[in-house]
Amino acid sequence: MRNVLLSYVEHSRGIEGRRGCLVVGSAVELSALDPVVGARVSTQLASNESFIAGLIRAGQADGSIPRHVLADDTARLMLCITQGMRVVGKARLPLDAERLVGAAMKLLA
């Protein structure tokens, strides 16, 4: 999970971050106006969330994430965090990887 979060920080900084994320851009700009785009965005976000939930469950299986962590709820929160990183990067605000990822990882403790 830590590596996924670090990857999101990296993709949210610099030139790539300023360009932004197609999913976030579509979600913000087009989803409400175009049902086809809205469905695709929803599908992609659900896929991302499912991937994160799987990582959490794998961590619970290997003991690196405690069993009391609610996988589905925490995956939704992590999805919000990762997509928010993309928005913050597009807005050109600084993203400190160690601080952000460290804070997010505390949700898995």
Side-chain angles (χ1 to χ4, degrees), residues 3 6 90:
N3 289 337
L6 287 169
K90 189 160 180 66

Side-chain angles (χ1 to χ4, degrees), residues 35-69:
V36 173
V37 171
R40 287 184 179 168
V41 167
S42 293
T43 297
Q44 184 60 53
L45 291 173
S47 175
N48 291 359
E49 185 175 335
S50 178
F51 174 74
I52 293 168
L55 291 176
I56 293 169
R57 286 187 181 93
Q60 289 173 322
D62 73 15
S64 62
I65 296 175
R67 295 242 177 241
H68 73 266
V69 172

Side-chain angles (χ1 to χ4, degrees), residues 12 17-20 84-94:
S12 299
R18 286 191 294 273
R19 278 192 294 239
M85 285 181 195
R86 300 308 304 255
V87 171
V88 169
K90 189 160 180 66
R92 300 179 183 189
L93 296 173

Side-chain angles (χ1 to χ4, degrees), residues 70-94:
L70 301 174
D72 292 333
D73 294 346
T74 306
R76 174 64 56 95
L77 182 56
M78 290 292 185
L79 178 71
C80 293
I81 290 169
T82 57
Q83 297 310 303
M85 285 181 195
R86 300 308 304 255
V87 171
V88 169
K90 189 160 180 66
R92 300 179 183 189
L93 296 173

Side-chain angles (χ1 to χ4, degrees), residues 1-21:
M1 194 65 230
R2 181 175 176 72
N3 289 337
V4 169
L5 292 168
L6 287 169
S7 176
Y8 266 93
V9 171
E10 287 309 309
H11 289 296
S12 299
R13 295 196 284 200
I15 293 170
E16 185 177 354
R18 286 191 294 273
R19 278 192 294 239
C21 170

